[in-house]
Amino acid sequence: MTRWSNWSGSVTAEASVLRPRDEDELAGAVAAASRVRATGAGHSFMPLCASNDFIVNLEDMAGSLGVAADRRSVRAPAGWSLKRLTAALWDEGLALANQGDVNPQSLAGSTATGTHGTGRELGSLSTFVRGMRLIGSDGDACWCSADENPDLFQAARLSLGMFGIATEIEIAVVPAFHLAERIEKRRWAEVREQFDDLVEQQRHIEFWFFPHADSVILKTLEPCDPCDLPPSTTDMEETAFRRVLNIGAVVPALVPFLQRLMMRARLSGRRRGPAHAIFPSDRTLRFEEMEYEMPRAVGLDTLDEVVRWIRAKRLPVSFPFEYRVVAADDIWMSPMHAGPVASISMHQYAKMPWQKLFADSEAIFRAHGGRPHWAKRHTLTRDDVDALYPMAERYRAVRREADPAGKFLNPHLAALFS
Ligand SMILES: Cc1cc2nc3c(=O)[nH]c(=O)nc-3n(C[C@H](O)[C@H](O)[C@H](O)COP(=O)(O)OP(=O)(O)OC[C@H]3O[C@@H](n4cnc5c(N)ncnc54)[C@H](O)[C@@H]3O)c2cc1C
């Protein structure tokens, strides 16, 4: 048995871990197992991968990139990290149209949870998926796409790992492009007033907001002329922040003061480079995260309310909120299924308590019609899932057909989807 842990350290398991070299080895192991969970980079905060039986990780599996004749999609090994995938795409003159904050996640893991970046017209990575090869609970392989096994495809576009082990994923790509990143400190009141206009003007926009400070860090990415690799691999230097976090963890009452102090610093930056080198940044400080996708129109009001509540109670929320925008989609279990969203991520330093803080804030997000990111902390029950997702029962029916014995479930997923 091996001890498995997620990235933040909040989910652990004792399980047999298999890293198959090829699909036959994987298929044989899945057929013989009574329970199995797939894991990618373990970047999910919820216990999606947890299993005290058997965990498979496809990082070492053989495979290569296949570019479609029209160069609009590629087939890639599902266990590849986004870092490996986007580097291979770049060598072919191709790129993903959008990416999130970091790139160690696997292609399978990031698409299985609706991982997204920011951009008013850009959907999550799950919306880029065109098809996938799945090893089913009996060990047999099948392909699903909009034309082949369409119900299975609809469900598996945001699968949470319950519909089989994905070994290959076909994903939409665009011609390679370059990005210019711009970071600046702006007054919160000013950004709040202008944000809707800025969203219309920028291809990618987001801001970071320390709840006890009056300024935010605004970040935009715009396509630019070809240029070399950027000098830095990250959008933000974390050394000073680490010091502040560690002081705040020992004396939580100092958090509001420390945040205001930190936001007095000159915070601005410019980077340019290939898109796949600019989208992701280094995140070396461990945190726990909850993220709610809000109907776009109520996003800023909701953030305002949560921040006012944190300030009133002087709560030691030591990490900033991250505010992004994501386009609507048609994926059954996607939080973006109901329309375009404003995505509000709430973080807490991993060394500080987060449970009550998240639970109390979640009530505000829920009251304004939010739906959680499936990979990040939430306390949804089965009834909540039914209330939020009109297609939930169909999703469960497809799951039952694909995996009648519940081989791909764990207790967390069984409570919501069995
Ligand atoms: C530092 C950090 C930054 C992040 N930034 C963002 C961001 O910018 N935007 C965002 O939306 N999210 C973000 N996330 C969340 C993250 O993208 C998701 O948790 C994502 O699912 C992680 O991918 P992973 O490879 O680690 O998957 P894991 O967490 O290992 O697994 C996620 C799910 O995928 C399933 N799965 C994995 N491999 C397979 C497979 N081969 N077949 C079938 N199912 C499989 C698992 O069973 C599980 O249900 C971030 C997380 C961290 C820790």
Side-chain angles (χ1 to χ4, degrees), residues 149-214:
N149 299 312
D151 268 17
L152 179 61
F153 176 65
Q154 257 305 333
R157 287 167 87 194
L158 200 157
S159 72
L160 304 177
M162 292 187 291
F163 297 82
I165 313 288
T167 56
E168 186 178 55
I169 294 183
E170 181 173 338
I171 187 151
V173 293
V174 297
F177 62 106
H178 290 71
L179 282 173
E181 176 186 272
R182 186 187 169 111
I183 288 178
E184 56 188 356
K185 188 169 71 173
R186 299 269 289 271
R187 304 280 306 161
W188 162 231
E190 182 189 314
V191 168
R192 199 194 180 312
E193 199 178 299
Q194 297 172 358
F195 194 72
D196 290 341
D197 292 336
L198 292 171
V199 166
E200 294 304 315
Q201 291 157 19
Q202 307 285 337
R203 186 169 191 266
H204 310 271
I205 185 163
E206 66 183 290
F207 63 84
W208 294 85
F209 186 10
F210 285 101
H212 296 286
D214 288 324

Side-chain angles (χ1 to χ4, degrees), residues 4 7 37-45 48-49 58 78-79 100-102 104-110 112-117 134 159-162 164-167 283 287 289 291 322 324 373 375-376 413:
W4 179 90
W7 177 86
R37 289 300 297 152
T39 178
H43 270 46
S44 297
F45 299 90
L48 293 175
C49 304
L58 307 195
D101 283 351
V102 297
Q105 306 101 312
S106 63
L107 173 59
S110 52
T113 60
T115 291
H116 62 84
L134 290 169
S159 72
L160 304 177
M162 292 187 291
I165 313 288
T167 56
R283 297 282 180 256
F287 52 80
E289 183 173 349
E291 176 178 311
E322 184 179 19
R324 296 181 277 189
H373 189 308
K376 306 192 184 180
L413 293 165

Side-chain angles (χ1 to χ4, degrees), residues 10-21:
S10 63
V11 182
T12 55
E14 296 282 339
S16 305
V17 178
L18 176 74
R19 299 171 73 93
R21 294 266 161 196

Side-chain angles (χ1 to χ4, degrees), residues 319-384:
F319 257 74
F321 283 89
E322 184 179 19
Y323 192 97
R324 296 181 277 189
V325 289
V326 191
D329 63 44
D330 61 353
I331 300 175
W332 290 350
M333 292 309 287
S334 163
M336 281 62 91
H337 189 257
V341 303
S343 163
I344 306 180
S345 303
M346 179 172 190
H347 312 80
Q348 178 66 311
Y349 191 28
K351 292 181 186 173
M352 294 179 74
W354 49 267
Q355 287 83 346
K356 174 149 174 40
L357 186 69
F358 284 3
D360 290 349
S361 318
E362 191 172 13
I364 302 179
F365 293 125
R366 292 289 309 277
H368 288 277
R371 296 164 163 192
H373 189 308
W374 289 108
K376 306 192 184 180
R377 287 286 163 188
H378 67 81
T379 60
L380 291 197
T381 61
R382 187 187 171 94
D383 286 347
D384 294 330

Side-chain angles (χ1 to χ4, degrees), residues 189-267:
E190 182 189 314
V191 168
R192 199 194 180 312
E193 199 178 299
Q194 297 172 358
F195 194 72
D196 290 341
D197 292 336
L198 292 171
V199 166
E200 294 304 315
Q201 291 157 19
Q202 307 285 337
R203 186 169 191 266
H204 310 271
I205 185 163
E206 66 183 290
F207 63 84
W208 294 85
F209 186 10
F210 285 101
H212 296 286
D214 288 324
S215 306
V216 305
I217 301 164
L218 186 70
K219 171 171 164 178
T220 57
L221 300 173
E222 278 300 318
C224 66
D225 292 338
C227 48
D228 295 335
L229 276 169
S232 160
T233 54
T234 191
D235 53 2
M236 224 84 73
E237 176 40 57
E238 292 184 327
T239 315
F241 187 29
R242 184 187 303 276
R243 253 180 247 131
V244 167
L245 285 173
N246 284 330
I247 299 171
V250 179
V251 193
L254 283 180
V255 166
F257 165 75
L258 291 168
Q259 277 183 12
R260 286 192 287 273
L261 190 70
M262 216 169 39
M263 286 303 288
R264 275 199 220 137
R266 203 180 66 87
L267 293 164

